[in-house]
Amino acid sequence: MNDDKENIPFRNTEYLIVGQGLAGTMLAYELHRRGKDFIVVDNPSGEKASQVAAGIINPVVFRRLTKSWLVDDLFPVLKETYGELEGLLSCRLLHSLKIDKILGKEETPFWHSKVIENELESYILPEPDDNFQIDGIVAPYGVGKVFNAFRVDLPLLIRRFREFLMRENQFISEKLDTNDVNRESGKVQWKNITARKIIFCQGFRASENPFFQPVKFKHTKGQVLDLEIPYLKITDMVNKGMFVLPLGDNHFRAGATYRWEFHDTKPDDEATEELTEKLEKVVKLPYSVAGKRAGIRPTSHDRRPVVGLHPDYPEIGIFNGLGSKGAMLAPYFAREFMRFLCGESDAIHPEVNLLRYYRKNNRLRNRF
């Protein structure tokens, strides 16, 4: 156990949030907007999927051409939340985005029928664009158009919100060791901090947290490429088994890979080759790779977030498992979790509730 407390002043608080990736940032913002007392502890040099993710909010699932899970409920909350954060942090975070989904030979009738059948008219155009022509883009059978999508600048959000927390004296730059967390009289103590509740927002590191061992995490490694494509003139994102996202000034981001087995968090040649092969089937122009980035998406076995309080230790909670759709899911479920914590709601959505992993025969009673 680490007994070094000299750099941590004595303080009582309502909430101690561990981690300041997307999940920790959103939960801290919900606490801030409600005037709650809290502290965020995080190692800024630690690896975060949020620093790699493109922050794309796509309202549809292309494979089945259905709405993304809960999208009609998620969109109003995310628009409101990111808008409020833009005002608080004095920067632009949410960017409107259109997506051109390159269609295969037999996909046009499928696209048209599913738009109507699955009530997608609020997000995509029913009629594919059969006359789509942009120099350098291979789309012989046209594109389907998503007109109601977004991109969130996640690295900017995390950086600016950390600066805000530091100005408010609500940020501790340190790596928290769970061995240093003690429970006593319905509260938790970490070094010189005493909190009514501790909420872990550790990303893929949650798998190492001894308080939540029954949770079935199935993290995925993703890699993206930063590209320079001087002659590609697109303003919408292009998608065909991967995305090509325009960032301005001939700069683009391409991705992303999905690996369920991995050994580290570094970019690798195999993922680079996979992405460039897919890219060259879509873009027939000279390009150069300006950078490679990889991260581990915190993902659960059922691809649903993990939200709630420990069934035996209600002073300990978790907000995690946002996966590849974190930019869309985080605002809604951070707000729902906060309503639960504040007693405004007595339930958490059953598909994300932490308790789905706990049964009478596998409770970890009296272990900590």
Side-chain angles (χ1 to χ4, degrees), residues 279-323:
L279 175 71
E280 290 168 8
K281 292 178 181 178
V282 175
V283 179
K284 297 297 184 180
L285 289 171
Y287 70 91
S288 60
V289 177
K292 310 172 187 179
R293 288 183 285 173
I296 309 301
R297 304 177 187 91
T299 311
S300 67
H301 83 291
D302 55 8
R303 298 195 177 187
R304 295 290 185 256
V306 182
V307 184
L309 300 177
H310 194 287
D312 295 321
Y313 318 118
E315 63 272 26
I316 300 174
I318 187 171
F319 185 48
N320 208 307
L322 297 174

Side-chain angles (χ1 to χ4, degrees), residues 58 60-65 98-105 107-108 110-111 124-125 127-130 132 137-147 236-243 282:
N58 182 357
V60 299
V61 179
F62 283 137
R63 187 175 68 254
R64 301 185 302 272
L65 210 60
K98 296 179 181 179
I99 303 174
D100 292 329
K101 172 66 170 70
I102 296 177
L103 300 178
K105 186 176 182 179
E107 285 187 273
T108 297
F110 174 78
W111 180 277
I124 64 182
L125 297 178
E127 296 295 337
D129 181 359
D130 297 329
F132 179 86
I137 297 293
V138 180
Y141 306 105
V143 301
K145 285 189 171 287
V146 179
F147 64 84
D236 300 342
M237 189 178 87
V238 173
N239 183 291
K240 177 65 173 177
M242 66 176 301
F243 66 80
V282 175

